[in-house]
Structures are given as structure tokens and as C-alpha cells.
Amino acid sequence: MTNYDEYQKFMRYKYGYHSFAIILILTVLNFNLDLIFNLQWAETKSLEFMLLIFLAIGYSIVMNIYKGAYFSKKQNPKIYAVIFFFLGLANIYLSFSPYSPLISDGLVTSNSMMLVSGLLWISIPVAYLTRIIVEKKRDEKDND
């Protein structure tokens, strides 16, 4: 983390802590759903846990990008945003297969991991674009 300034480090730690809390809360809720209602919403328990982790990872990434703490000072975020966008599109495209459905017998299948990871990759350029638009509007408002 030597390529990040103090603000970026603070934001990364802050949203990492928030993500950890999200994982804890979602895991306890999922455990209680299984314990009380005997409800399993994915093919396996490990798949359920991985999908919950992806939610926390997505939160952390989006918030770090929006607050300017995801990319280091030496990286070019525009190039990475384009690359991540196409990676996300590829994963989303690959997730829709007629041979491996996303939901089977009322349970989320492991094929959903491709869709979720694609959405995660897509969230990076979307958050970056949102940050740019908000900064431009803020600068216009300050100049008036």
C-alpha cells in the first residue's frame, strides 16, 4: 500500500471494515434462515457464502472507487475501467448458457458466480464514471 496516500489508506481500511461487518451480518442472517426456516437458497452452503462475500466485495470496491481510494496515484483509471468493463461483459455473456441455468429446481446454481463476478467487474467502470460526473457537477456548482 505504499502507492496510496494517507486519505486513500484510511478509506480502504474504512470500507474494508464495513465489508467485514457486511459479511458478518449476512452470514448470521443466512445461518438463521437455515436454522429457523430450513431454507437453502443456493445449491450448496459454500455457494451461498461465496455469493454473500461477493456482495461485501462489491460494496468495498464501489465505495473505494467513489471516494478515490481504489486506484493508486500511479495508475490510469480510465484504461483500467475500459478493461474491467469488457471483462465484466465477457463474464456476463458466458453466464447465460442454455446448458447451465442460473436457477435450477428453485436453487441458485454455481453458474451464477460468473454473472456475479461479471457484475462486479462492470461495477468498477460504473462507479468510476459516476464519480467523474459527480465531480464535474460539483466543480460547476463551485464555479457559479
Side-chain angles (χ1 to χ4, degrees):
M1 299 240 322
T2 57
N3 294 330
Y4 298 98
D5 62 21
E6 292 301 316
Y7 170 79
Q8 288 177 313
K9 287 179 184 178
F10 174 74
M11 287 294 126
R12 291 173 74 88
Y13 292 138
K14 176 182 175 181
Y15 293 116
Y17 174 78
H18 288 177
S19 294
F20 180 70
I22 289 170
I23 289 172
L24 286 176
I25 291 167
L26 291 177
T27 302
V28 168
L29 287 173
N30 193 44
F31 174 78
N32 286 325
L33 281 175
D34 185 40
L35 184 68
I36 296 169
F37 301 110
N38 198 24
L39 178 68
Q40 183 172 343
W41 50 272
E43 285 180 328
T44 63
K45 285 295 179 188
S46 58
L47 178 60
E48 287 180 358
F49 188 68
M50 286 306 298
L51 290 172
L52 296 178
I53 287 177
F54 267 94
L55 288 173
I57 291 169
Y59 170 79
S60 177
I61 288 173
V62 167
M63 291 307 294
N64 280 328
I65 290 171
Y66 186 73
K67 294 295 185 175
Y70 186 75
F71 298 107
S72 70
K73 298 293 182 185
K74 296 177 182 177
Q75 291 176 323
N76 186 347
K78 292 177 185 175
I79 292 173
Y80 284 103
V82 170
I83 292 170
F84 294 154
F85 179 76
F86 286 115
L87 279 172
L89 284 180
N91 279 343
I92 290 172
Y93 176 76
L94 292 172
S95 70
F96 293 109
S97 168
Y99 307 110
S100 182
L102 294 174
I103 298 176
S104 176
D105 298 328
L107 298 175
V108 177
T109 65
S110 59
N111 192 35
S112 63
M113 289 295 289
M114 289 294 285
L115 177 63
V116 173
S117 67
L119 293 172
L120 191 64
W121 286 113
I122 293 273
S123 71
I124 294 171
V126 169
Y128 181 68
L129 182 63
T130 303
R131 178 173 179 248
I132 290 173
I133 291 170
V134 167
E135 283 180 353
K136 283 184 181 179
K137 289 193 183 235
R138 196 175 292 147
D139 289 342
E140 288 174 3
K141 187 177 179 182
D142 288 343
N143 290 336
D144 290 341

